[in-house]
Amino acid sequence: MIRIPSTRAARPTLLAASAAVLLAACAVGPKPPVPTLPPPGTGGFIGAEGFATETPAITTAEARDDWWRLYADPALDALVLQALAENNELEAAEANLRAVRAALSQARTARLPTTTTSAGVTYGRQSSSSFSIPGQPTTGEPLDETEVYDVGLDVAYEIDLFGRVGASIRAARADADAVAAALDVVRVTVAAETARAYADACSSNAQIAVAERTIELQADTARLTQTLLDAGSGNGLDVARARSALESTRATLPPLVAQRDGALFRLATLTGVTPAEASQTARACARPPQLTQPIPVGDGAQLLARRPDVARAERDLAAAAARVNVATADLFPRISLGGSVGSTALDAGDLGDDGSFRFSVGPLISWSFPNVFAGRARIEQAGALSDAALATFDQTVLVALQETETALATYARELDRRAALQAARDEAATAVRLSRLRFDAGADSFLPVLDAERTLAAADAQLASSDALVTTYQIALFKALAGGWTEAPAV
């Protein structure tokens, strides 16, 4: 480290160093990499082509932030807003954002002069050859014990000739933007997971209701077979089969109840309350929320502009690029302008007298050029981190497109599956009705009735499960579209 004081003898050196500095001022590091979006990913979504056109489930209108309001479910609206206000992960992310914004404010202070004030008193004895007070004679004889009073103000300002301070501020600003985007990522997740937990609880209730209706029907069938056996017109095989079907359906109830309770407990955590305070509205809801209009999905360009994880990756890249400039600027001298003013006296009452007044002013150059290899290693390290950030940005863009296309394709296929299951369920109900008519007419045994009821029970359960998956895949699509991270007006 070389420090050049401002003395008359050092002025030629200062002038030479300043000339060298000005000549080298252009070498402050490479230009930051510019992130680009793949053109094929900015158009319409491939997965949008898989939806039926006669009953559109999606639209190319721009996606909405308040997507949960499309369900027109006041309970869901209240739960999502409660989660966005009370979720603990969101609170932690907001605190992290405040911390990094404070760091940005600290970095900005490098643009301002630094000031240091001092005041002190010392007691001791020194020889006059090593210590003198302004205005006092120098005798060379040891002095008696004395008290020395001193007050002063030091001011320094760094001239950002090579952009080190500016690059540091850009890096801090990009860090703050990245953490703000990370907060938006948490908001997206909290909104989607709250809606998912609510929908899971409602879907479980719907499946429980289907199972209970099936149990009631099969219990009637078991009683009927037992009555026929008691009357001498039935057989034990029919009774055993009816009871087996009944108990098999009863066995499906406990997992469904556990599934519902688990969803309620997740919902409680997301909304910032204990499991004992889980939403009673969600516990009582009878079916998953239903969309009242098509899902607006926009296109790839709008998606990538909305996704906060893409914004975070871009800001991380900007911060990494700025740190390359910081590392490069460290190869060159730091130039500061400084000054000091104060008063030193043997008596506190003499502070401020002309004889005790002191001052100094001048530039200071600090340059670590002998250790250039360490500086270049830091530049190489910062450059490698910038390359990694660029690759992370590119990957984040691809993952955003992948998640959205996958969500669209999965949703479209489940809609097709649900339509087929609905048709199968309707046919199964027809088969139960006809088999009972044939049994009542004496044309068939009771076995076809049992088989038809078993098929209907399975069809009802599959249809209820598909209804739950449709809502789950809708929410997954909304999450991929990155809705829920800004406040939007009610519809």
Side-chain angles (χ1 to χ4, degrees):
M1 181 75 68
I2 293 180
R3 298 184 181 274
I4 305 176
S6 178
T7 63
R8 185 178 300 274
R11 286 177 185 174
T13 307
L14 280 173
L15 294 175
S18 299
V21 163
L22 293 174
L23 289 174
C26 59
V28 292
K31 293 183 178 180
V34 179
T36 58
L37 303 178
T42 58
F45 295 114
I46 299 172
E49 301 172 0
F51 289 86
T53 56
E54 60 273 12
T55 55
I58 65 169
T59 175
T60 56
E62 186 174 358
R64 289 173 48 165
D65 290 332
D66 60 338
W67 54 265
W68 59 87
R69 292 195 173 102
L70 295 175
Y71 287 103
D73 188 330
L76 176 59
D77 293 347
L79 288 168
V80 171
L81 293 178
Q82 180 182 353
L84 292 176
E86 303 295 338
N87 184 268
N88 291 311
E89 290 186 9
L90 266 178
E91 184 177 348
E94 289 169 352
N96 289 335
L97 179 57
R98 292 197 302 271
V100 76
R101 282 177 174 169
L104 172 59
S105 297
Q106 181 181 5
R108 284 173 172 161
T109 61
R111 293 284 195 192
L112 305 174
T114 60
T115 59
T116 304
T117 59
S118 62
V121 57
T122 59
Y123 177 81
R125 182 174 66 180
Q126 301 181 30
S127 67
S128 61
S129 60
S130 62
F131 178 80
S132 63
I133 301 298
Q136 300 293 326
T138 301
T139 64
E141 298 296 330
L143 298 175
D144 294 334
E145 288 81 0
T146 59
E147 293 179 351
V148 179
Y149 297 86
D150 182 81
V151 294
L153 172 66
D154 297 325
V155 180
Y157 175 74
E158 180 177 350
I159 301 175
D160 193 23
L161 188 61
F162 298 102
R164 186 190 67 84
V165 174
S168 298
I169 294 174
R170 289 198 304 274
R173 184 183 300 113
D175 285 339
D177 292 342
V179 175
L183 172 60
D184 293 336
V185 171
V186 178
R187 287 196 180 108
V188 169
T189 302
V190 167
E193 292 306 314
T194 299
R196 193 197 308 273
Y198 174 74
D200 286 349
C202 297
S203 298
S204 296
N205 282 336
Q207 292 173 280
I208 289 171
V210 169
E212 289 175 342
R213 289 195 302 269
T214 302
I215 289 172
E216 184 178 353
L217 177 63
Q218 291 177 337
D220 291 341
T221 300
R223 283 192 294 269
L224 176 59
T225 56
Q226 183 63 51
T227 299
L228 292 174
L229 178 62
D230 294 342
S233 59
N235 61 73
L237 181 59
D238 288 344
V239 173
R241 285 172 171 167
R243 288 178 176 173
S244 175
L246 173 60
E247 295 305 322
S248 295
T249 304
R250 279 177 175 164
T252 63
L253 268 179
L256 292 174
V257 174
Q259 181 177 298
R260 180 199 61 193
D261 291 344
L264 290 172
F265 299 154
R266 293 201 326 268
L267 184 60
T269 301
L270 286 162
T271 53
V273 299
T274 64
E277 301 170 283
S279 171
Q280 295 304 310
T281 303
R283 183 181 293 276
C285 67
R287 66 171 188 170
Q290 306 294 309
L291 281 177
T292 59
Q293 55 185 294
I295 298 177
V297 298
D299 57 24
Q302 293 171 347
L303 168 74
L304 297 176
R306 288 170 52 82
R307 291 268 301 211
D309 55 341
V310 174
R312 179 184 183 182
E314 190 276 329
R315 292 287 80 201
D316 284 338
L317 173 58
R323 290 188 172 93
V324 176
N325 297 128
V326 173
T328 305
D330 281 340
L331 289 179
F332 302 99
R334 296 187 188 183
I335 302 176
S336 298
L337 295 178
S340 175
V341 61
S343 179
T344 304
L346 297 176
D347 188 276
D350 294 334
L351 291 175
D353 291 346
D354 291 342
S356 63
F357 180 73
R358 60 178 173 79
F359 77 93
S360 64
V361 63
L364 174 67
I365 294 181
S366 175
W367 196 359
S368 301
F369 77 85
N371 201 13
V372 67
F373 297 107
R376 294 196 179 279
R378 287 191 293 270
I379 294 174
E380 184 175 355
Q381 179 186 31
L385 293 175
S386 179
D387 292 341
L390 179 59
T392 298
F393 172 82
D394 292 339
Q395 180 68 8
T396 303
V397 169
L398 294 179
V399 169
L401 294 171
Q402 171 214 319
E403 288 179 353
T404 306
E405 293 286 9
T406 301
L408 283 166
T410 305
Y411 178 39
R413 299 289 79 80
E414 190 58 37
L415 288 177
D416 295 340
R417 176 173 177 265
R418 184 176 67 174
L421 288 173
Q422 182 65 59
R425 190 269 170 201
D426 293 343
E427 294 298 331
T430 301
V432 169
R433 180 176 58 83
L434 293 176
S435 63
R436 279 188 174 276
L437 290 174
R438 290 180 62 82
F439 173 76
D440 293 341
D444 281 332
S445 68
F446 201 69
L447 181 58
V449 176
L450 291 174
D451 287 340
E453 288 181 349
R454 187 181 299 109
T455 301
L456 178 59
D460 280 335
Q462 287 183 316
L463 182 58
S465 176
S466 181
D467 285 338
L469 285 177
V470 165
T471 304
T472 296
Y473 294 150
Q474 288 170 352
I475 295 171
L477 176 57
F478 284 127
K479 183 179 179 181
L481 294 171
W485 56 276
T486 60
E487 187 81 17
V491 179

